[in-house]
């Protein structure tokens, strides 16, 4: 800070060189007057900027009570009581006010009646769309298309801001490797790099070109940090992530969005190795503020501050406020312990007024950056929700997120010989459930289901017969299955839409069994026995254990809950108007017991050779060491059902002629990797070309593979393209034995391929 001030005075002096002494003195004394402002806010980076001056000016006029009021966020409740609290300057932000008239009414009280006229920041969970619902984030990640994900977040921001919402609690970039955890649905999957790329895309989309644009909404990176590693996949559970893994796996997406200007961060519910995030000075101060120089605002999760009491980390609400603010939290979501206790804590010297000032600076800075002081009200009257271009973008997102897992004998796309289609299953016409989790504002009346879309878009070409079979995904009654089977017998092809209802994934919706629920297994079983081609379409919030169903189906399309436009997109995919290109953003387990499962696991000392004996082949009374003493499951075998990055197309691609620009590189070098990609099939299609790296030997064990880049390449049949990746050697850095982020010289392998399990490879060396 001192250096910034000196620099400021220095430049004032330089600027003043051509002026008269009188002018010089005036300017320099003006500069000196501003100095205390610069000192007050620790987080301020561009301290000379108008925003910082405004923040400081306002801060000076605030009472301690008013400052603490800014640190208080409440949810929509009794409006009269809220109005009084707003007028008294006791509310800095509100969540869940989505009626624009009410937004304006409350805002008017803040701006016109509260002593300082500080606007309230209106917030909401706009996670994968506001009214127009896009695929759940896990589905968006399957597109491997950051531009499309950015566009989706932009649509969400335009719609949400039109109702007065200026802050969303997204992106959720918790690296998620355990499909039992219901919140995997909200994440971008298991990979740190993919979460980082998609998180940055969402931040850009939500925040637009400039935060102060009326259609921009502040993003919130959540949940900081490690929440995705909740033990046993059970929500809110403890995590045990050592610092190196935290830094190598869980922190990188957060660092990426912080650098991309993500306006806010949210602390997570979990305690990591005994320290709840909301009271964790290491992550909130040492890492976020000091290492990353973050000047945004930090909010707690819903009551995560007062949950430090049941955690056994704080004895009462007063200690909650003390520990949270001292750890670096700026705003408390809903539990009110700050408002209740901070004045006392400051008087007792347990929390410094400087800490309060810092928090308030971070909050006010955001409000200024959002332009809330200049334009606090929302323009009402003109709805932008469900605009045709929003629906078109949502459809495109589904088209690219659907993953073709199997396509025996090219059953798909449905050809001209198909005259009658049987549509069955609980997800064929489930307008609420296909929206997925966290779709608070999506309205099922606007959902376009597969059944409706097939009838509307293709009903003139084929006859569509429908029998639901099961009323909903958990339905255990089997009587409907017989009806579905009899309808299926009349058709040329059977389309079975199964999966999970929306309520089976998301927050607090963890499962210990991730098979298809209810009688869905029996439904697929019965349909597979009638001798008709069976196409199974699965809509879910997580990868399910669907080995049997894949086996029994001729073709399988996996669609994470696709949102409003799921139907039309799936209809076009089934009929080949759109060629699938999605890839799995998470590893699909064969059995739940394999969890957590992820491709980027460390090398063990006992990698399986593939020759180990599996459970059905073990002779009775076999000797203890006769199976092969390696790291595998006797019953689940060696690998997953589908690896990370997996997905087929209606066409085929060939990888050839991989070449490296050099075999040896210095640490400041860049490796160029090229490969020829050919579309060897009959359809124009898009392949997601993936680049993985292995660091063969490190001062600590390293992952067997790590994703370092990907590209979507669209080719016409027969077309060949040279695909090029430039990989800076600095991207090979990691937190090593000395807890330093470095590139360690040595040998590496690089792969280019169609998924994390296949590809062409070559070796190179990094030298000092
Ligand atoms: C969730 C957050 C969410 C918040 C506000 C919490 O329960 O964990 O992700 O943003 O509620 O609704």
């Amino acid at each position: 800070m001192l250096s910034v001030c000196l620099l400021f005075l220095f430049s004032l002096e330089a600027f003043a060189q051509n002026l008269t002494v009188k002018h010089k003195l005036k300017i320099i004394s003006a500069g000196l007057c501003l100095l205390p402002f610069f000192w007050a806010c620790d987080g301020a980076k561009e301290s000379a900027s108008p925003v910082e001056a405004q923040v400081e000016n306002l801060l000076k006029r605030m009472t301690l009570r008013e400052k603490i009021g800014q640190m208080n966020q409440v949810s929509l409740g009794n409006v009269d009581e809220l109005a009084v609290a707003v007028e008294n300057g006791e509310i800095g932000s509100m969540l869940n006010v989505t009626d624009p008239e009410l937004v304006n009414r409350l805002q008017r009280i803040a701006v016109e009646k509260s002593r300082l006229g500080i606007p309230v920041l209106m917030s909401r969970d706009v996670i994968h769309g506001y009214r127009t619902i896009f695929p759940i984030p896990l589905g968006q990640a399957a597109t491997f298309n950051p531009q499309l994900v950015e566009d989706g977040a932009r649509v969400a921001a335009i719609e949400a801001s039109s109702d007065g919402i200026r802050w969303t609690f997204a992106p959720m970039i918790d690296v998620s490797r355990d499909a039992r955890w219901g919140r995997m649905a909200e994440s971008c999957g298991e990979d740190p790099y993919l979460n980082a790329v998609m998180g940055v895309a969402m931040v850009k989309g939500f925040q637009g070109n400039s935060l102060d644009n009326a259609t921009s909404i502040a993003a919130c990176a959540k949940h900081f940090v490690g929440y995705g590693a909740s033990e046993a996949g059970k929500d809110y559970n403890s995590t045990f992530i050592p610092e190196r893994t935290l830094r190598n796996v869980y922190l990188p997406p957060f660092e990426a969005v912080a650098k991309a200007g993500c306006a806010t961060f949210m602390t997570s519910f979990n305690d990591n190795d005994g320290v709840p995030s909301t009271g964790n000075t290491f992550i909130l101060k040492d890492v976020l503020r000091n290492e990353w120089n973050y000047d945004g605002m930090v909010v707690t999760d819903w009551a995560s501050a007062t949950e430090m009491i049941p955690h056994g980390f704080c004895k009462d609400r007063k200690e909650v406020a003390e520990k949270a603010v001292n750890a670096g939290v700026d705003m408390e979501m809903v539990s009110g312990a700050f408002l209740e206790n901070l004045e006392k804590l400051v008087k007792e010297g347990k929390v410094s007024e400087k800490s309060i000032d810092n928090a308030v600076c971070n909050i006010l800075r955001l409000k200024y950056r959002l332009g809330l002081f200049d334009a606090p009200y929302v323009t009402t009257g003109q709805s932008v929700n469900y605009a045709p271009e929003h629906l078109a973008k949502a459809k495109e997102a589904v088209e690219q997120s659907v993953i073709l897992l199997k396509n025996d004998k090219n059953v798909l796309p449905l050809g001209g010989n198909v005259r009658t289609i049987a549509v069955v299953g609980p997800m064929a016409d489930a307008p609420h459930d296909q929206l997925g989790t966290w779709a608070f504002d999506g309205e099922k009346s606007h959902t376009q289901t597969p059944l409706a879309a097939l009838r509307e878009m293709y009903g003139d070409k084929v006859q569509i017969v429908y029998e639901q079979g099961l009323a909903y995904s958990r339905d255990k009654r089997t009587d409907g299955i017989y009806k579905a089977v009899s309808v299926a017998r009349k058709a040329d092809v059977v389309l079975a839409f199964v999966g999970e209802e929306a309520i089976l994934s998301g927050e607090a919706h963890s499962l210990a069994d991730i098979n298809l629920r209810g009688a869905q297994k029996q439904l697929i079983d019965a349909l597979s026995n009638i001798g008709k081609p069976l196409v199974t379409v699965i809509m879910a919030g997580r990868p399910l254990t669907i080995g049997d169903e894949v086996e029994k189906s001729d073709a399988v399309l996996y669609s994470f809950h696709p949102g409003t436009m799921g139907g039309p997109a799936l209809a076009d995919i089934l009929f080949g108007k759109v060629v699938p290109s999605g890839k799995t953003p998470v590893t699909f387990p064969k059995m739940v017991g394999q969890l957590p499962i992820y491709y980027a696991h460390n090398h063990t000392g006992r990698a399986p050779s593939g020759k180990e004996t599996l459970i059905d082949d073990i002779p009775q009374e076999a000797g203890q060491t006769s199976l092969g003493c390696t790291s595998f499951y006797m019953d689940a075998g060696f690998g997953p059902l589908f690896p990370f990055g997996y997905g087929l197309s209606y066409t085929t691609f060939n990888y050839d002629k991989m070449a490296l620009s050099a075999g040896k590189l210095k640490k400041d070098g860049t490796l160029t990797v090229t490969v020829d990609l050919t579309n060897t099939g009959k359809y124009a299609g898009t392949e997601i070309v993936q680049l993985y790296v292995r660091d063969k030997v490190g001062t600590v064990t390293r992952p067997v593979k790590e994703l370092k880049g990907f590209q979507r390449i669209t080719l016409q049949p027969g077309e060949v393209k040279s695909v090029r990746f430039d990989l800076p050697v600095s991207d090979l850095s990691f937190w090593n034995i000395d807890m330093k982020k470095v590139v360690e010289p040595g040998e590496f392998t690089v792969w280019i391929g169609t998924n994390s399990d296949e590809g062409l490879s070559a070796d190179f060396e990094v030298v000092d």
Side-chain angles (χ1 to χ4, degrees):
M1 179 54 68
L2 185 62
S3 56
V4 177
C5 295
L6 289 175
L7 201 78
F8 177 71
L9 283 178
F10 224 72
S11 38
L12 267 182
E13 169 57 18
F15 163 73
Q17 268 169 16
N18 296 330
L19 302 176
T20 62
V21 174
K22 200 170 121 200
H23 278 114
K24 273 186 190 178
L25 285 174
K26 265 193 184 166
I27 291 169
I28 290 175
S29 56
L32 285 171
C33 292
L34 283 171
L35 269 181
F37 301 159
F38 301 154
W39 256 301
C41 292
D42 268 358
K45 288 228 279 323
E46 299 151 42
S47 40
S49 77
V51 165
E52 290 314 315
Q54 283 168 312
V55 167
E56 290 309 323
N57 203 13
L58 181 52
L59 187 74
K60 273 204 328 185
R61 294 161 53 214
M62 295 173 80
T63 63
L64 179 59
R65 181 79 185 159
E66 282 165 335
K67 290 176 185 173
I68 295 166
Q70 285 302 304
M71 299 166 72
N72 186 35
Q73 185 188 49
V74 297
S75 188
L76 179 60
N78 180 306
V79 175
D80 295 331
E81 283 170 24
L82 286 179
V84 173
V86 169
E87 187 170 342
N88 291 340
E90 288 175 341
I91 294 179
S93 170
M94 270 184 218
L95 74 165
N96 301 331
V97 185
T98 54
D99 169 5
E101 304 288 347
L102 184 57
V103 167
N104 281 345
R105 187 177 142 203
L106 292 165
Q107 199 65 289
R108 200 153 277 126
I109 296 171
V111 172
E112 293 172 17
K113 293 207 176 148
S114 75
R115 192 180 75 87
L116 293 170
I118 303 175
V120 175
L121 177 49
M122 299 296 180
S123 61
R124 178 77 161 166
D125 288 279
V126 180
I127 308 297
H128 52 112
Y130 179 61
R131 297 283 184 199
T132 304
I133 300 297
F134 280 65
I136 55 170
L138 193 57
Q140 293 190 42
T143 66
F144 283 72
N145 186 343
Q147 184 58 56
L148 186 55
V149 169
E150 179 181 335
D151 294 348
R154 187 89 285 274
V155 166
I158 290 170
E159 292 191 354
S161 61
S162 77
D163 277 349
I165 295 155
R166 295 301 306 282
W167 181 20
T168 179
F169 303 116
M172 193 274 224
I173 42 176
D174 293 316
V175 169
S176 308
R177 296 174 161 184
D178 192 329
R180 291 172 295 183
W181 192 48
R183 302 203 78 167
M184 178 185 265
E186 294 170 57
S187 79
C188 294
E190 74 181 47
D191 188 65
Y193 177 75
L194 188 58
N195 270 284
V197 171
M198 293 309 185
V200 167
M202 287 183 197
V203 169
K204 283 191 195 162
F206 288 133
Q207 299 192 170
N209 291 334
S210 166
L211 265 184
D212 66 0
N213 185 298
T215 66
S216 291
I217 62 178
C220 182
K222 72 186 189 187
H223 306 85
F224 199 55
V225 62
Y227 186 31
S230 292
E231 203 175 45
K234 194 169 59 168
D235 208 3
Y236 314 119
N237 211 357
S238 301
T239 60
F240 297 93
I241 312 171
E243 184 180 341
R244 192 173 357 265
T245 309
L246 198 66
R247 289 184 178 281
N248 281 330
V249 177
Y250 293 91
L251 287 172
F254 287 93
E255 182 171 12
V257 299
K259 300 267 143 77
C262 181
T264 69
F265 266 52
M266 181 190 288
T267 62
S268 57
F269 287 125
N270 59 298
D271 65 304
N272 187 40
D273 197 17
V275 185
S277 299
T278 304
N280 191 329
T281 314
F282 169 67
I283 59 164
L284 297 178
K285 281 199 173 152
D286 300 354
V287 174
L288 183 63
R289 299 293 181 191
N290 299 339
E291 290 181 25
W292 300 350
N293 290 322
Y294 184 66
D295 74 353
M297 190 249 272
V298 175
V299 66
T300 71
D301 201 344
W302 182 283
S304 71
T306 46
E307 282 174 20
M308 293 196 289
I309 301 170
H311 263 300
F313 188 73
C314 296
K315 65 176 185 302
D316 54 22
R317 292 167 64 83
K318 194 169 167 204
E319 196 178 1
V320 161
E322 179 185 342
K323 281 199 170 166
V325 173
N326 286 340
V329 168
D330 300 323
M331 184 182 278
E332 182 188 21
M333 188 187 282
V334 305
S335 40
F338 287 11
L339 195 66
E340 213 172 275
N341 295 293
L342 280 177
E343 268 176 299
K344 266 178 271 164
L345 287 163
V346 170
K347 281 191 193 109
E348 290 167 14
K350 291 186 174 148
V351 172
S352 68
E353 191 153 1
K354 167 101 176 138
S355 299
I356 305 282
D357 284 355
N358 273 334
V360 177
C361 282
N362 294 335
I363 295 163
L364 296 178
R365 183 178 304 121
L366 175 60
K367 292 188 177 185
Y368 277 109
R369 284 179 177 169
L370 281 164
L372 278 182
F373 286 87
D374 296 329
Y377 305 116
V378 52
T379 314
T380 54
Q382 256 193 342
S383 174
V384 294
N385 297 327
Y386 307 112
E389 61 275 22
H390 297 179
L391 296 175
K393 200 43 93 179
K395 177 172 181 267
E396 197 184 335
V398 187
E399 287 169 359
Q400 295 190 18
S401 84
V402 172
I403 307 159
L404 179 65
L405 293 178
K406 178 178 180 183
N407 195 17
D408 270 6
K409 298 193 201 113
N410 295 328
V411 174
L412 290 177
L414 302 176
N417 54 341
V418 172
R419 273 165 303 167
T420 306
I421 291 175
V423 174
V424 299
M427 297 300 285
D429 196 26
H432 170 82
D433 288 317
Q434 77 177 53
L435 295 181
T437 188
W438 284 115
F440 281 160
D441 303 291
E443 297 153 305
K444 69 173 185 177
S445 55
H446 286 260
T447 302
Q448 302 189 28
T449 67
L451 177 67
L454 284 165
R455 280 180 173 152
E456 194 185 316
M457 298 161 71
Y458 293 94
D460 58 339
K461 295 186 186 68
V462 289
Q463 197 199 346
I464 293 163
V465 288
Y466 171 61
E467 185 60 54
Q468 199 178 23
L470 300 168
Y472 57 107
S473 72
R474 286 164 297 152
D475 190 355
K476 295 194 180 85
R477 292 164 301 168
T478 48
D479 41 330
I481 293 181
Y482 304 109
K483 289 191 208 151
V485 166
S486 69
V487 162
R489 284 190 202 282
K490 295 181 203 136
D492 300 313
V493 64
V494 184
L495 306 184
F497 290 86
V498 294
E500 289 184 310
E501 296 151 74
I503 195 69
L504 296 186
S505 61
E507 183 176 352
H509 295 86
S510 295
L511 289 171
D513 173 353
I514 55 169
N515 284 320
L516 283 173
R517 296 265 148 187
Q520 294 186 98
K521 274 180 161 294
Q522 288 99 306
L523 176 67
I524 297 294
D525 195 35
L527 294 169
S528 71
N529 283 328
I530 59 172
K532 302 283 167 112
L534 173 61
V535 177
T536 301
V537 181
I538 300 165
M539 292 185 186
R542 54 164 69 76
L544 295 168
T545 39
I546 46 164
D548 287 348
E549 291 71 33
V550 171
E551 185 78 38
K552 287 174 180 157
S553 308
D554 298 285
V556 178
L557 286 169
Y558 210 88
S559 167
F560 293 108
H561 289 131
T564 308
M565 295 300 286
L570 280 161
D572 276 345
I573 289 175
L574 288 163
F575 278 90
K577 190 163 175 217
V578 170
V579 174
S581 59
K583 299 271 187 176
T584 52
V586 281
T587 304
F588 276 52
K590 289 179 193 156
M591 297 167 89
V592 73
Q594 290 176 296
L595 296 172
I597 189 169
Y598 48 97
Y599 80 93
H601 58 83
N602 281 2
H603 284 281
T604 66
R606 295 279 180 106
S609 67
K611 292 192 189 125
E612 292 78 0
T613 316
L614 297 185
I615 195 152
D616 291 334
D617 300 323
I618 301 175
Q620 258 185 294
E621 300 194 2
Q624 178 167 338
T625 56
S626 62
L627 309 181
C629 290
T630 60
S631 180
F632 75 108
Y633 294 103
M634 289 184 291
D635 50 358
F638 312 107
L641 185 61
F642 296 107
F644 174 86
Y646 179 85
L648 305 171
S649 169
Y650 294 157
T651 193
T652 45
F653 295 98
N654 187 49
Y655 288 74
D656 196 18
K657 297 190 190 147
M658 179 182 185
L660 308 190
S661 58
K664 243 183 213 177
L665 289 108
K666 294 226 161 121
K667 285 185 184 168
D668 59 356
T670 294
L671 178 72
T672 299
V673 190
T674 51
V675 75
D676 278 0
L677 181 73
T678 311
N679 181 342
T680 48
K682 295 201 189 89
Y683 295 83
T686 301
E687 166 73 329
I688 295 158
V689 181
Q690 300 159 44
L691 181 97
Y692 295 88
V693 168
R694 172 186 297 172
D695 185 346
K696 290 194 189 171
V697 179
T699 53
V700 291
T701 53
R702 303 285 296 122
V704 293
K705 272 185 185 180
E706 289 178 288
L707 183 69
K708 294 289 176 188
F710 57 81
Q711 292 179 42
R712 289 179 60 88
I713 306 290
T714 302
L715 296 178
Q716 297 302 314
E719 192 180 346
V720 189
K721 189 171 176 191
S722 171
V723 181
R724 170 189 169 137
F725 287 89
D726 291 317
L727 177 71
V729 173
S730 55
D731 282 6
L732 305 173
S733 61
F734 67 100
W735 292 84
N736 74 355
I737 191 75
D738 303 319
M739 208 59 84
K740 296 255 156 45
K741 195 177 180 196
V742 292
V743 177
E744 291 184 343
E747 288 179 9
F748 293 78
T749 304
V750 57
W751 286 260
I752 292 194
T754 183
N755 62 55
S756 63
D757 207 30
E758 297 173 59
L760 303 175
S761 68
D763 287 353
F764 64 97
E765 202 185 333
V766 173
V767 292
D768 265 328

